[in-house]
Amino acid sequence: MGGHDEHDKWIVRSDDGRGQTFGDIVASRLSRRGFLRQVAIASSVMIAAPLVGGEPASAAPRDPAFRSIAPTTPELDEIVVADGYFARTLIRWGEPITATAPEFDVWGQTAEAQAEQFGYNCDFVGFLPLPLGSTRSDRGLLVVNHEYTNEELMFPNYDPSQPTNAQVDIAIAAHGVSVVEIARGADRSWSVVRDSRYNRRITGATPMTVSGPALGHEWLRTNGDPSGTRVLGTLNNCAGGKTPWGTVVTAEENFHQYFAHLSYFDEADPRAEVHQRYGLPKTQSERGWELYHSRFDVSYEPNEPFRHGWCVEIDPYDPSSMPVKRTALGRFRHEAATFVVAPKGQVVAYSGDDAQFEYVYKFVTSGTYNKTNRAANMRLLDEGTLYVARYNDDGTGEWLPLVFGQGPLTPENGFTSQGDVLLRTRHAADALGATKMDRPEDIETNPVNQKVYVVLTNNSRRGTTGQAGTDAANPRASNGTGHIIEMTEQGNDHAATQFAWEIFMLAGKPEDPSTYFAGYDKSAVSPIGAPDNIVFDREGTMWIATDGAARAVKLNDGLFAVPVSGAQRGHLQQFFSTVTGSEVCGPEFTPDNRTLFLAIQHPGEGGTFAEPVSTWPDRQGLPRPSVITIQGFDDQLIGE
Ligand code: FEO
Ligand code: CA
Ligand code: CA
Ligand code: CA
């Protein structure tokens, strides 16, 4: 650890004159925005802080004061954190999380052990204070997603063409979610409370229920569950969100990859086209689970894939509660689901479909949040309206309702019920003419300015032959490095159906003329590629974790801070850099903003068990995905 300032290395000429195409885009977008807001804007891209809902922000935000680290390259298998901070490994893949779980033994793995141990490839991290309802920052429940498995790194002697039954069952048990109680000691270090009654694993085989309009739909019924109400497992849990009532919603992202043999489907069967639109493999699946579990083979269970691709609500405070697949929020490759309460009390969940040319969504509950009666909120996510976003080139936009019987979503166009609309959310969004985006990842609302930030990680096919061309919201062809859109809901009401938007950042190396950092001086920003997860601190500063920087900008992934208002708006600085082959997930703060949790996912990806390219964090021959804590030496706020 450590780190030092090497800004000079990244200084680029601001007058290089190479950015004409991009300059045109920015100038035209800014002038449109100026028109919309009836503010005079000079032709320069160096503009002052934007208005917040027509008024300046009430208090001047504190800007991050750490010294930016130099980026690291994929040869470096070390984490680096900004000066003044230290990192510790909190929990690793395979660590026991119950009193009865065995210690991790890479040579003696079993599915039974894995089902009581921390899962693989940690992604979403949610900190929920204990006791429930408190804002304590020294004790809480950590809810962590385990998105997928890297069998080639997990198992000695793994043969991808013929995985063993034991390997498959361990991998299923390494998927899902972990709930672990953690506590901060007198020396301020965090540890897992191993015998906590809250600790549990939810895996790719855990029974869960279904609720909302698609409950019991004929396409949810299987041989194993003729009622279409009881599903086994949650898969590819990427990011997620915390609800105002203290539950966690975990997002099922690339669920399609687990279901084999679409080529056996009768093409005349309407389900075949739906499975194809969602990307199911035609032949065997990547992990071969269908070899031992027929539900992963669509020639045996044609409907099993319909039971995945949902948002799943988990109550971490009630260890006996059963997770619920909330179908009202739609079925797609949910990246995340992030929650905010609208001014009139409706709860709004934003969620993106992370695939090239897919869409941005939000769900608005019919009911309102009840602050004093937690139980009254437990069905809120079953009734409401799902919308998909259309970004107009003039900086306006609309949320289009995915409601059966409205607009094109009628029987004449083949839609049969609200359950059908939700099972085929992508088709419904196509019919509404939503805007095809550059892989929507995390979407978060800023608690200080109430704006909504949509992260688009990349889209290599944008503008290529036969694909959609650029538009104002996705302005770069062959977008390899991603961008971030800033949206302002009408009246700052998250339940509104109209919004304004603008480009906040076009990521990349600042010397790349197509990049843009909200107009900030590009000689002073860090290079960034492929943004994925974001979080806002108490000051409203955005923290951005990346996934794919090695490909996008030939650097290790990292964590970056960027103010979104004031004179420092767009001043992106790198705070943390990760190890070879990994992405950075979380990020999550304690309520006091003095501990930052990061999930280091798939360290050493690209290597094998026999020939690892990373041995982080323990230098014991193999990499282990882990959650780390970052704290200040003086217990200062993170970023101060
Ligand atoms: Fe699992 Fe879209 O990242
Ligand atoms: Ca992600
Ligand atoms: Ca987030
Ligand atoms: Ca990712």
Side-chain angles (χ1 to χ4, degrees), residues 14 35 65 101 104 113 150 190 205 210 216 283 375 380 396 455 545 551 563 575 613:
S14 56
F35 173 74
F104 179 65
N150 286 90
W190 288 88
V210 179
T283 54
L380 265 185
T396 63
V455 180
R551 173 196 48 74
F575 181 78
V613 297

Side-chain angles (χ1 to χ4, degrees), residues 61 77 404 621:
D77 189 32
F404 173 65

Side-chain angles (χ1 to χ4, degrees), residues 226-250:
S227 66
T229 60
R230 178 69 62 102
V231 178
L232 292 182
T234 182
L235 296 172
N236 214 264
N237 306 80
C238 187
K242 297 180 291 186
T243 66
W245 50 97
T247 61
V248 164
V249 170
T250 179

Side-chain angles (χ1 to χ4, degrees), residues 123 147 238-239 253 335 354 441-442 532-533 547 583 585:
D123 196 305
E147 187 178 24
C238 187
E253 193 191 28
E335 164 69 24
D354 183 5
E441 297 264 17
D442 205 357
D532 187 339
N533 299 296
D547 173 14
E583 67 171 286
C585 297

